[in-house]
Amino acid sequence: MKPAETLDRYDLKILAAVAEEGRLSWRDLAERIGLSLTPTLRRVRRLEETGYILGYSARLDETRLGHAISVFVSVTLTAQTEEAISAFEREIAKAPEVMSCYLMTGGADYLLRVVAPDLAGYQSFLMNSLTRIPGVAHIQSSFALRPVIQRAAPPLT
């Protein structure tokens, strides 16, 4: 597949359309991008096979599902060795409250986005999961008031 800089306008239209509406029928997708069905399907398959499209999912309403609180948690480890990093990543992956986890540069080693039903639920996660992971030296929590922007894809130009 071509590098991202050389994706043509049809590829970019496909990526934008499926990012916006993953349940779009193949026929509707073809119509939206201005190609017939067969070349559209070939392009989608190629974009999937080359890793531009990683999968399809539904966006769920976390609040309606009982997770009213979203917390961004900065975690600093006692050591930044390969072993310490691997151990933390294995353990944090077991916590279903963690929606995303990023290895970071700067003041903290990791940035997590955690959801919880309420403050008591977050405290339970903190005390029963995060603080029990060996090698965690410092935790700083920032509570999100409300989402402002949540995009499905970066700019596709």
Side-chain angles (χ1 to χ4, degrees):
M1 185 67 180
K2 304 167 259 180
E5 300 81 39
T6 61
L7 291 174
D8 69 19
R9 66 186 178 102
Y10 293 111
D11 294 331
L12 295 173
K13 285 181 178 183
I14 289 169
L15 294 173
V18 299
E20 181 182 321
E21 188 178 349
R23 292 183 60 180
L24 193 62
S25 75
W26 298 130
R27 191 166 310 288
D28 289 342
L29 176 62
E31 191 174 296
R32 186 179 290 187
I33 70 165
L35 284 178
S36 64
L37 185 59
T38 301
T40 298
L41 289 174
R42 265 197 305 267
R43 285 172 176 270
V44 169
R45 295 290 177 242
R46 191 178 73 236
L47 290 166
E48 291 170 343
E49 290 167 3
T50 55
Y52 284 95
I53 298 174
L54 299 176
Y56 302 89
S57 62
R59 290 187 315 240
L60 305 180
D61 187 325
E62 294 169 351
T63 301
R64 291 194 65 172
L65 292 168
H67 301 283
I69 294 179
S70 190
V71 187
F72 291 88
V73 184
S74 297
V75 178
T76 305
L77 303 180
T78 55
Q80 289 73 35
T81 64
E82 187 175 333
E83 182 180 313
I85 287 170
S86 294
F88 177 82
E89 290 176 3
R90 273 192 311 276
E91 292 302 312
I92 203 64
K94 296 175 186 175
E97 301 90 346
V98 177
M99 298 289 96
S100 56
C101 174
Y102 295 90
L103 179 62
M104 304 294 290
T105 63
D109 296 312
Y110 288 92
L111 180 63
L112 316 175
R113 187 175 76 84
V114 176
V115 295
D118 51 28
L119 284 173
Y122 177 66
Q123 181 181 359
S124 176
F125 161 76
L126 205 57
M127 303 309 289
N128 298 318
S129 294
L130 189 55
T131 60
R132 292 187 181 188
I133 297 175
V136 171
H138 182 73
I139 298 166
Q140 180 176 342
S141 304
S142 298
F143 290 82
L145 299 176
R146 65 179 168 86
V148 176
I149 298 171
Q150 292 182 301
R151 293 189 172 100
L156 300 172
T157 56

